[in-house]
Amino acid sequence: MARATGIAVWTRIAAQLREDIASGAIVPGGRLPPEAALASRFAVNRHTVRRALEDLARDRLIRIEHGRGSFVAEPVLDYQINLRPRFSEWVRRHNREPFGDKLSLRMIDPADLPECTIIREVLGLAAGEPVLELLRRGTADARPLSLSRHIFPARLEGLHAALLNHATITAALAQIGIADYLRLRSRITCRMPTPRECALLELERDAPVLHCENVNVTAANTPLELCFAIYPSHRVALIVEPTA
Amino acid sequence: MARATGIAVWTRIAAQLREDIASGAIVPGGRLPPEAALASRFAVNRHTVRRALEDLARDRLIRIEHGRGSFVAEPVLDYQINLRPRFSEWVRRHNREPFGDKLSLRMIDPADLPECTIIREVLGLAAGEPVLELLRRGTADARPLSLSRHIFPARLEGLHAALLNHATITAALAQIGIADYLRLRSRITCRMPTPRECALLELERDAPVLHCENVNVTAANTPLELCFAIYPSHRVALIVEPTA
DNA sequence: TTTTATTTGTCCGTATGTATG
DNA sequence: ACATACATACGGACAAATAAA
């Protein structure tokens, strides 16, 4: 790195690294070379490189992890939690191509699910009344964004077939005569992902996920769906804008 | 454990364990004896104990961690994200005793903080304009619930002294003439805690925390505060109930 | 479980160029 | 011309966190 240009060396190193990231030479989520390697590449002291990296980290372009390295931050999609939960619309609003993988669909007795008590209570199910469980993976531009388990009362006429035939839940519900559905309540926690979830989300196993439990109802306010969804925290942030 | 009472043995073991937990014989967050130890204590096979543990896990009374053990779940406080952020009121509504530790209060140039860009933008600061940074720990019944960094424009007359003199932010703001303040927007993500955060929150290193970035404004809609807060996910859940 | 290597974080210090008074 | 303050850049040593053997 040439000197005496009137601009600090670390500033120009930072600019070069910004360019490398913008050009895609280092992919989002990818790792930068270690500080020592960058120092020798730019022929400067390690401290000078560190000053440049601090600058990028301050702008959230990279995140520096003690003992591990520096990583290019992935673009985070802000997901606004509003009255109507619609995955595809949300992704398209961010100018990305949405896609919903249907992983599985089955009818099951909620007693065989760990969330048994909540499911029965929220959906108002009688003992032994079965539910439909849909597993779904949400993707934007080939990057997995969510894993969701949708629980519907199995008594809804024709829903099983409709869910099989349509790409989106909104479309399937429309077919059986439910033109609109609303978010009643969301409960947000976070946890570590299971190995299976890591594989499906293409996630490292030390990256926590946001966990949402959503209660959705019809426009007539009857319980319709309980949805458990997880989101990789490095790719998704939840936005809440209270209005009342 | 006596047999032939007409009630399954695992049911009575589960009932006994529920009592142990309810009575506080095992503290929340504490570890249950290994399955083998429980089996010998109740003089049953390990599989019978496992059936009982599954029952407790289904009710979220314990969480079973592969290769680690079973742990008594801590009571989770539901924190509703509504228009007025008030820590003390929230905790009191759950019949627990709130307490706010002031960890530090200082005036600082936001350029020295990693969230420099966001702070300037949200609070509408001129370059070099200082801010007040208040670090706070929220506790309920001696259990740490939150760690928050509150950023105020330092230009607010008398705020430094008011924050020092009052236990709550609401009271400090009231003293300088700000009778009400509102949540404009919250951005929710999650991450792993730092070692320092673990110590302050009395948290294990592998437990993720919810991370909230809150923008709060005065009743007149002028930017007042940027608040970064973290919550241990095993103790706090965030509730959102959309209304529009 | 323990050890070793890698990588980042935090000190210590030294030297130089530049702006200010 | 000189003193001072400040930002920049370099060098080395060790601590702390992580990953792999």
Side-chain angles (χ1 to χ4, degrees):
Chain A
M1 186 68 44
R3 315 289 164 104
T5 62
I7 302 170
V9 178
W10 69 261
T11 307
R12 284 177 296 136
I13 292 177
Q16 179 62 54
L17 291 173
R18 273 171 212 275
E19 217 166 283
D20 291 352
I21 291 168
S23 73
I26 312 169
V27 295
R31 194 180 146 183
L32 271 73
E35 293 173 357
L38 290 173
S40 92
R41 167 181 158 193
F42 292 117
V44 295
N45 189 273
R46 181 171 153 245
H47 296 301
T48 311
V49 169
R50 282 179 61 76
R51 181 67 187 83
L53 291 178
E54 275 171 34
D55 197 56
L56 298 196
R58 176 155 297 183
D59 286 350
R60 299 269 173 100
L61 258 79
I62 64 172
R63 57 172 204 283
I64 303 172
E65 295 185 23
H66 189 166
R68 301 223 313 141
S70 296
F71 302 85
V72 177
E74 302 183 48
V76 175
L77 279 197
D78 283 354
Y79 181 19
Q80 181 154 358
I81 300 189
N82 47 23
L83 202 51
R84 287 181 175 76
R86 302 289 187 275
F87 173 77
S88 303
E89 287 178 23
W90 160 47
V91 174
R92 255 192 285 272
R93 220 186 335 263
H94 286 83
N95 297 318
R96 297 171 74 177
E97 200 46 45
F99 194 75
D101 285 321
K102 277 188 288 231
L103 303 178
S104 76
L105 176 61
R106 58 177 179 169
M107 188 180 298
I108 191 174
D109 184 336
D112 296 331
L113 297 174
E115 301 88 352
C116 168
T117 317
I118 309 162
I119 292 174
R120 284 230 184 82
E121 184 188 324
V122 165
L123 297 182
L125 299 178
E129 194 181 343
V131 293
L132 288 178
E133 182 199 53
L134 170 68
L135 256 64
R136 208 157 171 279
R137 181 173 61 171
T139 304
D141 289 346
R143 178 172 300 279
L145 282 191
S146 69
L147 227 47
S148 51
R149 290 172 50 217
H150 303 262
I151 315 286
F152 299 92
R155 71 172 99 97
L156 290 171
E157 197 88 29
L159 182 57
H160 193 289
L163 287 171
L164 279 176
N165 292 335
H166 289 86
T168 71
I169 292 174
T170 305
L173 290 173
Q175 191 196 304
I176 65 164
I178 300 173
D180 194 13
Y181 61 103
L182 308 172
R183 182 195 308 270
L184 181 67
R185 190 165 176 276
S186 286
R187 188 168 186 273
I188 304 165
T189 61
C190 67
R191 60 175 174 80
M192 303 311 288
T194 66
R196 179 176 152 75
E197 289 167 341
C198 282
L200 286 167
L201 289 172
E202 295 167 20
L203 205 63
E204 308 89 63
R205 66 178 193 294
D206 59 349
V209 294
L210 285 164
H211 177 115
C212 292
E213 174 191 302
N214 304 308
V215 180
N216 296 325
V217 297
T218 66
N221 211 36
T222 57
L224 171 66
E225 180 203 11
L226 190 60
C227 166
F228 303 97
I230 62 173
Y231 305 94
S233 63
H234 287 146
R235 297 179 200 150
V236 175
L238 304 176
I239 306 289
V240 180
E241 294 185 344
T243 51
Chain B
M1 184 71 41
R3 314 288 165 106
T5 60
I7 302 170
V9 177
W10 70 260
T11 307
R12 283 178 297 135
I13 292 176
Q16 180 60 54
L17 291 173
R18 274 171 211 274
E19 216 165 284
D20 289 352
I21 292 169
S23 73
I26 312 168
V27 294
R31 190 179 150 184
L32 270 74
E35 290 174 359
L38 290 172
S40 92
R41 166 181 157 193
F42 291 117
V44 296
N45 191 276
R46 175 167 159 256
H47 296 300
T48 312
V49 168
R50 281 182 61 77
R51 182 66 187 83
L53 292 179
E54 274 172 36
D55 196 57
L56 298 195
R58 174 156 301 183
D59 285 350
R60 301 266 174 100
L61 257 79
I62 64 171
R63 59 174 201 283
I64 303 172
E65 294 185 22
H66 191 155
R68 299 225 310 141
S70 296
F71 301 84
V72 178
E74 302 182 47
V76 175
L77 279 198
D78 283 353
Y79 180 20
Q80 180 154 358
I81 300 190
N82 47 23
L83 202 51
R84 287 182 176 75
R86 303 289 188 273
F87 174 77
S88 304
E89 289 178 22
W90 160 49
V91 174
R92 255 192 285 271
R93 204 169 305 130
H94 286 83
N95 297 317
R96 297 171 74 177
E97 200 46 46
F99 194 75
D101 285 322
K102 278 188 287 233
L103 302 178
S104 76
L105 175 61
R106 58 175 178 169
M107 189 180 299
I108 191 175
D109 184 334
D112 296 332
L113 296 173
E115 302 88 351
C116 167
T117 317
I118 309 162
I119 293 174
R120 285 232 184 81
E121 184 188 324
V122 165
L123 296 182
L125 300 178
E129 194 179 344
V131 294
L132 288 177
E133 183 201 50
L134 171 67
L135 257 65
R136 209 158 171 276
R137 182 173 60 171
T139 304
D141 289 347
R143 178 171 300 281
L145 281 192
S146 69
L147 229 47
S148 50
R149 291 173 48 219
H150 305 261
I151 314 286
F152 300 92
R155 71 172 97 98
L156 291 171
E157 198 87 30
L159 182 58
H160 194 289
L163 286 171
L164 279 176
N165 292 335
H166 290 86
T168 71
I169 291 174
T170 306
L173 289 174
Q175 191 195 304
I176 65 163
I178 299 173
D180 194 14
Y181 62 102
L182 307 173
R183 182 195 307 271
L184 181 67
R185 189 164 178 276
S186 285
R187 187 167 186 273
I188 304 166
T189 60
C190 67
R191 60 175 173 81
M192 303 311 290
T194 66
R196 179 175 154 76
E197 289 167 342
C198 281
L200 286 167
L201 290 172
E202 295 166 21
L203 205 61
E204 306 90 63
R205 290 267 308 130
D206 58 352
V209 294
L210 285 163
H211 178 116
C212 292
E213 175 191 303
N214 305 308
V215 180
N216 297 324
V217 297
T218 66
N221 212 35
T222 57
L224 172 65
E225 179 202 12
L226 190 60
C227 166
F228 303 96
I230 62 172
Y231 306 95
S233 62
H234 288 146
R235 296 177 201 151
V236 175
L238 305 175
I239 306 290
V240 180
E241 295 185 345
T243 52

